[in-house]
Amino acid sequence: SAYENKNWDLVGETAHRLLPSYKHIDVKGAVSDLVELKRRSFDNPEPDQIRILISQIEETTSEVIESLKLEKP
């Protein structure tokens, strides 16, 4: 993964690409985490902090997916 390879530019670019989708479905927690991930990836990356943000985004994404599955008829 980009994180494992310490490819911080790719981590930041990925966060940037995901932002519009999360904004569209109004997932505020993930949006703020993605903005912070993008910022931290480009400005003096700290791997431990980046890992925490990625974990939070993954957890929020899982919750959103489960919620959407429950709404499906």
Side-chain angles (χ1 to χ4, degrees):
S1 75
Y3 172 80
E4 291 165 349
N5 293 323
K6 296 181 177 23
N7 187 341
W8 307 128
D9 287 339
L10 183 56
V11 171
E13 290 169 13
T14 302
H16 176 77
R17 285 194 309 266
L18 290 172
L19 271 166
S21 297
Y22 281 82
K23 285 179 181 178
H24 181 72
I25 60 173
D26 200 27
V27 184
K28 290 176 177 57
V31 168
S32 62
D33 287 342
L34 284 164
V35 168
E36 184 68 11
L37 178 60
K38 180 180 166 183
R39 185 187 68 75
R40 287 183 179 265
S41 295
F42 292 128
D43 299 335
N44 192 23
E46 298 174 40
D48 291 339
Q49 291 300 314
I50 289 175
R51 180 69 232 157
I52 290 168
L53 288 166
I54 290 171
S55 293
Q56 289 172 190
I57 294 163
E58 289 174 338
E59 183 176 330
T60 302
T61 300
S62 293
E63 291 170 5
V64 168
I65 289 170
E66 288 305 312
S67 176
L68 291 171
K69 285 180 181 177
L70 292 174
E71 288 181 17
K72 183 177 155 184

